[in-house]
Amino acid sequence: MLAPNPGVRELEGTNTWIVGEPPAFVIDPGPEHEGHLAEVVRAAGRVGRVVLTHDHPDHAPGAMRLAAMTDVPVSAIRPPEGGERMRDAERLRSGTTELLVVGTPGHTPDHAALFLEPDRALFTGDAVLGRGTSVIDPPEGDLNAYLRSLHRMRELGPKTIHAGHGPLVLDAVAKLDEYIAHRAERERQIVVALGTDAKTIDELVPTVYAGYPEELHELAGRSVLAHLLKLESEGRADKRTTDGVRRWRAIEPRSCERCGRPVKGRSKLCGPCSLAVLQESG
């Protein structure tokens, strides 16, 4: 059921999913909109449990109100006050229906997908959208974690994706492959755009997102930052701040002299090995 909250990030609005026969699961009730919540209750017949993929304001505010209307619990990785904490790999039950909790951090640290195994139906929140791509916005968004989550969802072998926004996806694996390939291509574009000179994010965005409306450049800049932070963590980029202006440059990746893992900047040791050396030296 579509919540009445359309927007640039929300597309036509937040998808609220009713799963199973009564008492049914309700995934992501969306905003606290009385008309929408009343319609969800009517369509569900009887609600057994409310589940949140994450706590963003376009997904979560209606949860506790819906719970109060139906006298049921709210489950989330980062639950609202009065809710119940769910955990990765936990199996939630409501009536005869069971959902597997799949931790999928990256869009947010608390993000989870829900997997209806008999139907191979994956409810992805904002990790995968029915149209377009998910926003990874640091510091809450973490691209390294997000890519791991995409691969984890693919390993489930889902058939369909029921996203938090946009239409139903009928070929889930193809969509996940598309998302993984998109991030790899965007990273390649950013590395090429960096070239040999240090650049600011504002200088990178018009090149990497050429052809996109200028009003989307601020949002695009957050995505570029997420990629730059990933490249930095892999020792493939570093940043310098001069007179309050931060510039990034591509660098050749370096390996830790002790363990071989990538290191940042000019360091000879990675973080864990640096700490180990300090501990060993007493």
Side-chain angles (χ1 to χ4, degrees):
M1 302 190 66
L2 187 64
N5 61 334
V8 173
R9 297 192 186 206
E10 296 82 9
L11 304 180
E12 294 85 359
T14 300
N15 292 327
T16 297
W17 295 100
I18 299 168
V19 185
E21 298 297 324
F25 284 100
V26 174
I27 300 174
D28 289 348
E32 192 173 349
H33 185 281
E34 290 293 330
H36 175 63
L37 297 179
E39 187 64 16
V40 168
V41 173
R42 184 201 64 75
R46 183 158 63 96
V47 177
R49 183 184 293 266
V50 179
V51 187
L52 296 175
T53 59
H54 62 302
D55 68 359
H56 272 179
D58 55 328
H59 289 255
M64 293 308 295
R65 175 62 184 145
L66 180 60
M69 292 166 62
T70 55
D71 193 26
V72 301
V74 174
S75 297
I77 297 285
R78 188 162 60 190
E81 185 176 355
E84 299 179 353
R85 187 177 303 280
M86 67 186 188
R87 290 172 173 78
D88 180 35
E90 181 179 356
R91 293 181 182 273
L92 303 176
R93 287 186 176 275
S94 184
T96 60
T97 305
E98 182 177 89
L99 291 175
L100 174 66
V101 178
V102 184
T104 51
H107 177 70
T108 62
D110 68 315
H111 201 286
L114 291 308
F115 191 41
L116 183 65
E117 291 180 278
D119 296 347
R120 292 167 55 205
L122 187 62
F123 298 85
T124 56
D126 280 356
V128 181
L129 306 182
R131 185 177 69 254
T133 56
S134 178
V135 174
I136 309 302
D137 187 358
E140 187 177 48
D142 183 315
L143 187 54
N144 279 310
Y146 181 65
L147 290 171
R148 289 192 295 270
S149 293
L150 289 178
H151 284 283
R152 186 179 184 195
M153 286 186 284
R154 193 190 188 286
E155 290 168 2
L156 292 170
K159 181 179 179 181
T160 57
I161 284 175
H162 304 252
H165 306 277
L168 175 69
V169 176
L170 296 177
D171 190 340
V173 171
K175 174 63 77 171
L176 288 162
D177 285 343
E178 175 189 321
Y179 262 51
I180 293 166
H182 168 76
R183 291 294 172 178
E185 174 61 15
R186 187 66 77 206
E187 179 178 293
R188 186 196 67 78
Q189 292 171 334
I190 289 170
V191 171
V192 170
L194 279 171
T196 57
D197 299 323
K199 293 182 174 67
T200 66
I201 289 175
D202 286 344
E203 291 169 336
L204 289 168
V205 168
T207 300
V208 176
Y209 286 85
Y212 283 75
E214 191 170 334
E215 57 265 28
L216 296 180
H217 281 192
E218 182 178 354
L219 193 59
R222 305 306 297 169
S223 180
V224 169
L225 175 59
H227 278 277
L228 290 170
L229 291 172
K230 174 181 178 291
L231 290 169
E232 182 183 37
S233 73
E234 297 167 345
R236 299 167 58 200
D238 68 0
K239 59 182 179 291
R240 296 286 186 273
T241 302
T242 305
D243 297 329
V245 178
R246 178 180 294 178
R247 289 182 170 84
W248 297 79
R249 65 188 180 101
I251 60 174
E252 286 297 317
R254 298 165 58 89
S255 298
C256 174
E257 293 181 356
R258 179 171 172 152
C259 72
R261 286 180 291 204
V263 297
K264 294 182 180 181
R266 302 179 184 276
S267 302
K268 294 182 178 181
L269 300 176
C270 66
C273 286
S274 296
L275 179 59
V277 168
L278 286 174
Q279 292 171 334
E280 290 167 3
S281 63

